[in-house]
Each structure stands twice: as C-alpha cells, then as structure tokens.
Amino acid sequence: MSNSSVHAAAPRPLNATRPQGPLTGRVRVPGDKSISHRALMFGALATGRTTITGLLEAEDVLNTAKAVTALGAPASKTGDVWTVIGRGVGGLKQPEAPLDFGNSGTGTRLMMGVVAGHDITVTMTGDASLSRRPMGRVLKPLRQMGLVTQEDRDTLPLTVRGSSHLIPIEYPLPVPSAQVKSAILIAGLMAAGETTVIEKEPTRDHTERMLRYFGARVETRQHDGLTSVTVHGDAELEGRHVVVPGDPSSAAFLICAALLVPGSDVTVEGVLVNETRTGLYTTLQEMGADLSFENEREEGGEPIADIRARYSQLRGVHVPAERAPSMIDEYPVLAAVAGFAKGDTRMDGLAELKVKESDRLAATAAGLLANGVCAGVEGDTLIVHGTGSVPGGAYVATHLDHRIAMAFLTMGLASASPVAVDDTNMIATSFPEFRSLMQRLGASYR
Ligand code: S3P
C-alpha cells in the first residue's frame, strides 16, 4: 500500500480524557524530522557510505528513503543503523516510476533542489493535503537556476526536469521558509559558482550545519539585520555518520501535557535544542512554565538536552512575529496550552500557518472555539483568551493534519470534558509513537 493510500484508509478517531493521576516518567522521542530528511538526501549526494542512527522512522521520512533509493542511492536499515550508498553530487539517476512523497512538504521541496542539479526527469506526487500546498515558492528560484516543469502549475503532481548546468543565484527569501532556503542551497551545490540565500528572519539552519559536516563550503553572514547563506557550487560531499537528535516538535506534546496535568513531572531525554527550533520553549517559560534544560551537550554538530517539565500555573503572553520561524510547527499545541493559561495569549506573524499540512490557523481556532475556548483570528494573528480552564467536549476536525490531531489530544488530557479528534492515521507521518509514549507517561486515550 502506498503512503498516500494510507490516508485514504478509514479514519481512526480518538478520545482524550483526564488521566487518573499525574503524568510522570523519563522518555525519549523519535529523531528530528528535518534532520532525518536531510541526512538521507545528503547521504545520497555524498560519495561513499553514510550511516545514520536515530533516524525518524515515520511515513514522511520513509518516503524520502524510498525516493533516494529510487534515484540510485539505496537507503536501508540493518540493526539500528540506516545506511545510504551515495552517488556523489550530480550522480543520481532517473527513477523508473513517480516518487510519492505522501504528506511531506519537506521531502518534496528539498528533493526538488536535489533533482534540479541532475539531467533527469522526475514525477513527484503526494497525498490530498500535499497536493494542495504551494510549490511555487521553491519552483520560482529553481526555475531561475535551470529547473523545468512540464506542467504549467505550482502544485503536485508535477514532472520536473533538472540540469547539470545550473546557474547560481542570489535570492532574497520572500517567505521565512527553511524549506525554500534549503532547496536553493542544495541546488547551489550543483551550480557553477556561489549561490546565496538572504533571509530577514532566521529559519532553522540544519541544512547549513549538515552540509558543512559533509564537507561543503557554506558561509553564513549577518549584515543590516539580514542573514545571508552562501554555498559554493561544484561541491563534493563525503559520506559521514549522522546521529539524529530527538525531535523538539514531537517532544512539545509531551512537555505541554506535563505542564497541563496537575502534579506531573516528565523528562524528555536527548532533545534537539538548536535555537532556531526552541521558540516554543522560550514562550512556555515566559508563560511561567517550570521547565529545565539538563545535561546540555552536543551530538552530531547539534546542541541537545534533557528537558524536564513540571505542572505549572500559566499566564497569557505576547508571542512576537519574529519568533514564528523558530516554533512554526508548535503553534497548534501552544494555542491549546494558552486556553489553560490565565489571560490573553497573542501570537503574531502566523501567515505561514495557513499553508502547512492544513490551514492550521483556521483549524486551530475552530478547534479551540468548539472546545469552549474564546479565540479569534485577526489577519495573521491568533488570540486566545485563556481563563485557566478549558471546557472541552468537542469532536475536532483535523483536516489530514498530524499536528492538529496531537495538539487537541494534548488539550483533552486536562479539559473538563474529553476531547475527541476525527482521525489519527496521519500522526504516523511524523510521530508514530505519540500515543504509546503519552500512555507510558500516564495519558488516557480511547
Ligand atoms: C521544515 C521547515 C518548516 C517546518 C517543516 C519542516 C524543514 O517549514 O514547518 O515541518 O525541515 O525545513 P517551512 O520552512 O516551509 O516553514
């Protein structure tokens, strides 16, 4: 069964209720999704063997593993270790069948950057959610570099043709998107000269860090309040060993649940704490959350820590727009938490939430309102009027969006009445262990 058809499977609703007691324990979450995609793709572009431990084995990443395999760089697992046999920069081959990226915007957009630098034609497909998402944001710069699309549209399915003679560009990002930045930088590896991406708000920098680790020349400069990242073309990458740290976007649900359920004390070990990803944790601390970062260390060129969260009385805060890129995937769960805080939480600069796996701004606001939380959207701002408690009791529409499902399944652990979601199948795209890990801490789902 293809991953796209998994999402056509019968919906599996789930109900979250207040557990009998506090949530407690020490757990690990699966590997970071962003780093997992990149490890597979850079391994495919490197010469020799890349080994990866801690790879996230969720549908999104497994689709990327299948894609690199189909492009001639086999990715496989033996024991706990994934191995990718690289083909060298520019050395991938034309796949025999369309590549199905399932639900994954990251897999699709970064792979467009990979394909751009090869003389191959590739058809890319995805599920209903992915087929609605904008690809023009990556296609526009990649077309300037030399990528050609067969169709005259900017949504999947698309057939793209790359070129072994890419033109380097200098590109100011019109949207704060690490996916767009990464697609251009990856294509830039295969261009003749220097390719530069300029960003107003810094986005996650895993591509830059990992490309350097694989041996590419990548320079990051700050100037006039902007960040410029330059990659040198005609690059050579060398196979490496990558250790994937725990995903802070998955840990977010466990941490938030611990903050909401009285008496809880939970530690999530080995979580990535790269500051381009920790906006949620900063915000929770400003709300009064009892969070501590223990055993801070570095693994595979990324900072990690054990994050301990204890039940806390929270207050509403203002989350500034410039923080959005560092917590873009965490707004649904933050909004759920904000319902339990006392006072208003105002989250500015959320335009990008409208083009995620669903329109997350609308889906989050609708879920809050259905559960008796007073919330409103004003332009790109979400305002949640927290009263210290949440009535709950609703059946939430998830719109094929894993993070909407997990956010409301977190809310239901502390609301007065249970909260149900209409489907949980798509949680497997990013965090298949969500339910079992939450239950191990003491959460109650039926
Ligand atoms: C990602 C970047 C973010 C994020 C996504 C993963 C990445 O998207 O929402 O889950 O791995 O680069 P944008 O960069 O498009 O905001």
Side-chain angles (χ1 to χ4, degrees), residues 32-35 37-38 106 109-110 133 137 176-182 203-204 206-207 249 277 325 328-329 352 356-357 360 402-403:
D32 184 66
K33 184 152 70 74
S34 295
I35 293 179
H37 283 295
R38 287 160 173 80
T106 310
R109 295 191 178 114
L110 270 57
R133 297 181 65 188
R137 52 181 51 203
S177 167
Q179 295 181 359
V180 179
K181 171 177 69 176
S182 299
T203 62
R204 66 191 68 192
H206 310 305
T207 295
S249 300
R277 295 289 298 282
I328 194 65
D329 293 333
E352 281 296 298
K356 293 295 176 189
E357 285 81 330
R360 281 189 184 153
H402 54 131
R403 297 203 200 276

Side-chain angles (χ1 to χ4, degrees), residues 235-265:
E236 281 180 22
L237 305 185
E238 220 180 288
R240 299 297 308 260
H241 178 63
V242 180
V243 181
V244 183
D247 194 327
S249 300
S250 297
F253 301 105
L254 283 65
I255 301 282
C256 287
L259 297 176
L260 299 182
V261 176
S264 297
D265 185 350

Side-chain angles (χ1 to χ4, degrees), residues 23 253-264 310-312 314 333 336-341 390 407 410-415:
L23 304 181
F253 301 105
L254 283 65
I255 301 282
C256 287
L259 297 176
L260 299 182
V261 176
S264 297
R310 281 171 277 198
Y311 170 70
S312 305
L314 302 173
V333 74
V337 167
F340 295 91
V390 168
T410 302
M411 172 185 260
L413 298 176
S415 51

Side-chain angles (χ1 to χ4, degrees), residues 1-7 33 36-38 40-41 44 55-71 73 75 82 95 97-108 111 122-127 130 156 426 428-430:
M1 196 195 294
S2 83
N3 286 305
S4 297
S5 56
V6 166
H7 301 296
K33 184 152 70 74
S36 295
H37 283 295
R38 287 160 173 80
L40 289 167
M41 291 188 205
L55 187 86
L56 171 65
E57 293 176 5
E59 285 173 11
D60 279 8
V61 174
L62 295 176
N63 281 326
T64 292
K66 283 188 208 151
V68 296
T69 301
L71 287 161
W82 278 81
L99 303 182
D100 181 0
F101 289 90
N103 193 246
S104 179
T106 310
T108 310
M111 194 59 92
V122 179
T123 299
M124 305 173 97
T125 66
D127 70 7
L130 185 58
L156 295 188
M426 65 316 204
T429 62
S430 70

